[in-house]
């Protein structure tokens, strides 16, 4: 079975209590179980990783090249700052999708630029937790195309 890795970056462990006006009531646990259910339905295996540390995210991306068939990543605030995560994503040959819960283009100016998106096949943003489900379908299509 094809295997994907779903990475969530800093502060996403606080979903459910953090800035509900942007991120809603959902928790990371709920998002992971939503993804799990959807992956089972479409016969894909998924694994989750969340970290508040840039280096840990980079090391996880490195490991993904041999262990996974694709990566879905919400780099959170690192989206707007991290050339190091961009480079790590560039170094993997597997399909990659960037996802954001909120619409980063309708928020502050500094969120409108995604540094990391240069290295991914596509970006999904603004659809809340359902964006993860859309990303899973999109990556499955890429993996099997
Ligand atoms: C986010 C958007 C980022 O700008 C922000 O720093 C986050 C979450 C999102 O999912 O909407 O932490 O990636």
């Amino acid at each position: 079975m094809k295997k994907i890795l779903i990475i969530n970056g800093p502060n996403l462990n606080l979903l459910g209590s953090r800035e509900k006006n942007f991120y809603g009531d959902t928790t990371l646990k709920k998002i992971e179980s939503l993804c799990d259910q959807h992956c089972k339905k479409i016969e894909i295996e998924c694994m989750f990783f969340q970290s508040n540390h840039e280096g840990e995210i980079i090391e996880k991306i490195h490991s993904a090249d041999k262990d996974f068939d694709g990566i879905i990543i919400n780099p959170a605030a690192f989206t707007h700052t991290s050339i190091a995560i961009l480079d790590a994503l560039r170094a993997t040959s597997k399909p990659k999708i960037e996802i954001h819960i909120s619409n980063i283009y309708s928020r502050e100016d500094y969120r409108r630029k995604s540094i990391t998106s240069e290295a991914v096949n596509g970006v999904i943003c603004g659809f809340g937790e359902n964006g993860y489900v859309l990303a899973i379908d999109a990556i499955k299509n890429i993996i099997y195309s």
Side-chain angles (χ1 to χ4, degrees), residues 12-18 20 22-34 101 128-130 132:
L12 293 171
N13 55 314
L14 300 179
L15 287 175
S17 60
R18 167 192 184 213
K20 290 186 183 185
F22 290 117
Y23 307 119
D25 281 332
T26 198
T27 61
L28 189 57
K29 230 179 157 158
K30 282 189 199 152
I31 289 178
E32 289 180 353
S33 97
L34 182 73
I101 297 166
E129 62 184 349
N130 194 47
Y132 287 86

Side-chain angles (χ1 to χ4, degrees), residues 8-12 15 18-19 22-23 73-80 98-104 107-108 110-113 124-126 128 132:
N8 280 292
N11 302 307
L12 293 171
L15 287 175
R18 167 192 184 213
E19 297 188 281
F22 290 117
Y23 307 119
I73 183 165
N74 183 345
F78 289 140
T79 305
H80 319 292
E98 179 173 311
I99 185 255
H100 300 284
I101 297 166
S102 63
N103 178 357
I104 56 172
R107 299 182 61 187
E108 302 93 332
Y110 56 80
R111 291 187 206 274
R112 290 198 183 141
K113 167 83 183 155
I124 291 169
C125 81
Y132 287 86

